[in-house]
Amino acid sequence: MSLKYVLRQNQRGLIFNFPQFNIKSTIEQIQQLPDSKSRLRALYKRFYKLRQFECTPKLYKVDDNPYSIPDITIDDYVALIKRNFRNVDYNLKRQKFLKLPPLCEDQLEQRLFATLTFVFNHTVAKRNFHAEEAIATVEDEKRASIDTTESQIISTLLRMDHDCPWQIKYDYKFQWLDQLDKLQSDKNAKKGKNNGNEVLAYLTYKQFLTTVMRLNESLGLCL
């Protein structure tokens, strides 16, 4: 009998060999709760329970510095979901980045269910007949990967959140976007080195978060 779960490649984080529970029935159970507050609390608990399933460390590599892998842990995942549940107004975020009208409560709830399914898929190993082959090169490692597309996206979210400047990470009103517009319109500010670095950081995260929000619209998520 095979184990329910194993360590991910490179001995970091658990991963299911196959789904251990029916995500559809889990969502149906949450939907039967009497009010939106209890459903939201139940959803948060389900996201929290998936904290042990960390991403494979190699997914945190960046092309320009492949030997530097940040130590992103369970705590980083928990901190991210806590901020998203407690502090982030998704409709405000959607309006700021995509200029779209707000979603109703039912629409937001359906997106949360879809997002839970997305994160759950990250915990299950991708079927790969090369997974047990010996790994000697980077190409071998890629060929033997059991990481799903969901894992690749979640690892990117965690890596970007890990590197995110506090001025952006904890600005729940997204005022840094207005600050970026001001810096870009100020020709004198562009000449200063410090302001130039600030503009670059803001531009990087504006482009990244805009891409994430467009992905959300395509897949019906709220990452």
Side-chain angles (χ1 to χ4, degrees), residues 93 97 168 176 205-214:
K93 186 177 181 180
F97 286 97
I168 296 174
W176 63 271
Y205 277 87
K206 180 181 180 181
Q207 292 170 357
F208 169 70
L209 291 170
T210 300
T211 300
V212 172
M213 296 302 289
R214 287 173 178 165

Side-chain angles (χ1 to χ4, degrees), residues 52-64:
Q52 299 290 345
F53 297 88
E54 298 180 72
C55 296
T56 304
K58 68 180 178 61
L59 294 179
Y60 296 129
K61 291 180 181 178
V62 291
D63 292 337
D64 59 346

Side-chain angles (χ1 to χ4, degrees), residues 22 44 54 65 70 121 147 157 218:
N22 189 326
Y44 173 78
E54 298 180 72
N65 193 1
N121 288 341
D147 293 307
L157 291 172
S218 298

Side-chain angles (χ1 to χ4, degrees), residues 36-53:
S36 59
K37 188 174 181 180
S38 60
R39 290 192 294 272
L40 190 63
R41 187 183 302 112
L43 277 163
Y44 173 78
K45 289 180 179 178
R46 297 309 191 282
F47 279 104
Y48 183 78
K49 285 182 177 180
L50 298 177
R51 68 193 183 282
Q52 299 290 345
F53 297 88

Side-chain angles (χ1 to χ4, degrees), residues 183 186-202:
L183 289 171
D186 186 349
K187 294 182 179 180
N188 293 326
K190 292 180 181 179
K191 296 179 182 179
K193 183 178 180 181
N194 292 334
N195 285 329
N197 291 337
E198 188 176 14
V199 168
L200 180 59
Y202 283 178

Side-chain angles (χ1 to χ4, degrees), residues 149-167:
T149 300
E150 289 86 350
S151 267
Q152 295 173 28
I153 292 172
I154 289 171
S155 65
T156 301
L157 291 172
L158 288 168
R159 173 63 197 257
M160 292 297 287
D161 187 68
H162 178 272
D163 295 340
C164 187
W166 65 266
Q167 296 94 331

